[in-house]
């Protein structure tokens, strides 16, 4: 067994940001809606929001594709199967769902979150540094643009109009946890 990679920032700024944002009202529902409707990777969405909110950095399409490729195998082979087993235990097979299987389902959820934490750490290692000077656009616009860039990886441009409400919810929460003023119309 290999020792853990000390270069992976498991407790890095992206992980801490993701925890704070995801716990904001409406964000989990917004992320899950985008995951279900567009097959979006929630960790890529959180990475995009973090780049905008914490680093005032736009996410160009080539970097979004690089980020997606960086985590694709881990996400497809580890994160998704863990999620599928945990979700399957909500309704069966017998003896699930039951009191006897709920502890196992909780343990699977903890392992799933651990796998997502590793995915976020992988993403953090490719994040560009924050640009020097003030951003060219407001942070809200940068965050929403970054989120749309990630969604465009799995959804067509026409479908992105349907994503506006959850994108605004994630952007609003991202601004709230960084202490930025939240736009009234957002």
């Amino acid at each position: 067994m290999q020792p853990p990679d000390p270069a992976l920032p498991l407790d890095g700024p992206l992980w801490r940001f993701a925890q704070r944002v995801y716990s904001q009202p409406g964000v989990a529902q917004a992320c899950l809606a985008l995951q279900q409707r567009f097959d979006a990777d929630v960790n890529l969405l959180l990475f995009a929001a973090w780049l905008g909110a914490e680093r005032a950095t736009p996410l160009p399409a080539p970097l979004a594709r690089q980020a997606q490729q960086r985590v694709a195998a881990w996400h497809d082979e580890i994160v998704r199967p863990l999620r599928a087993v945990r979700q399957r235990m909500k309704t069966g097979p017998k003896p699930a769902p039951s009191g006897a299987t709920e502890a196992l389902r909780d343990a699977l959820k903890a392992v799933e979150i651990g796998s997502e934490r590793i995915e976020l750490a992988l993403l953090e290692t490719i994040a560009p540094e924050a640009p020097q000077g003030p951003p060219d656009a407001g942070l809200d616009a940068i965050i929403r643009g970054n989120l749309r860039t990630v969604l465009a990886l799995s959804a067509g441009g026409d479908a992105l109009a349907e994503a506006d409400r959850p994108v605004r919810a994630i952007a609003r929460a991202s601004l709230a946890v960084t202490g930025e003023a939240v736009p009234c119309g957002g």
Side-chain angles (χ1 to χ4, degrees), residues 13-117:
L14 176 53
W15 168 250
R16 292 189 303 272
F17 173 84
Q19 287 182 299
R20 291 190 322 267
V21 169
Y22 199 80
S23 69
Q24 295 296 303
V27 172
Q29 295 86 347
C31 288
L32 295 177
L34 295 172
Q35 178 181 308
Q36 291 168 350
R37 171 66 178 93
F38 300 107
D39 197 30
D41 179 343
V42 170
N43 291 311
L44 285 172
L45 293 170
L46 293 168
F47 173 68
W50 174 70
L51 284 177
E54 295 280 333
R55 296 203 172 175
T57 301
L59 178 61
L63 180 57
R65 282 190 295 278
Q66 178 189 2
Q68 183 182 46
Q69 290 167 356
R70 172 98 164 126
V71 299
W74 181 260
H75 187 78
D76 292 343
E77 296 176 37
I78 304 298
V79 176
R80 281 183 187 218
L82 287 169
R83 181 184 312 126
V85 170
R86 179 185 55 80
Q87 289 175 336
R88 176 65 179 115
M89 288 180 69
K90 283 182 182 179
T91 58
K94 293 290 181 194
S98 69
T101 61
E102 199 55 33
L104 177 58
R105 190 168 178 279
D106 289 343
L108 276 171
K109 184 175 183 177
V111 172
E112 180 187 349
I113 290 169
S115 72
E116 291 176 329
R117 187 175 190 173

Side-chain angles (χ1 to χ4, degrees), residues 37-38 155-163:
R37 171 66 178 93
F38 300 107
D158 294 340
L160 292 182
E162 297 174 37

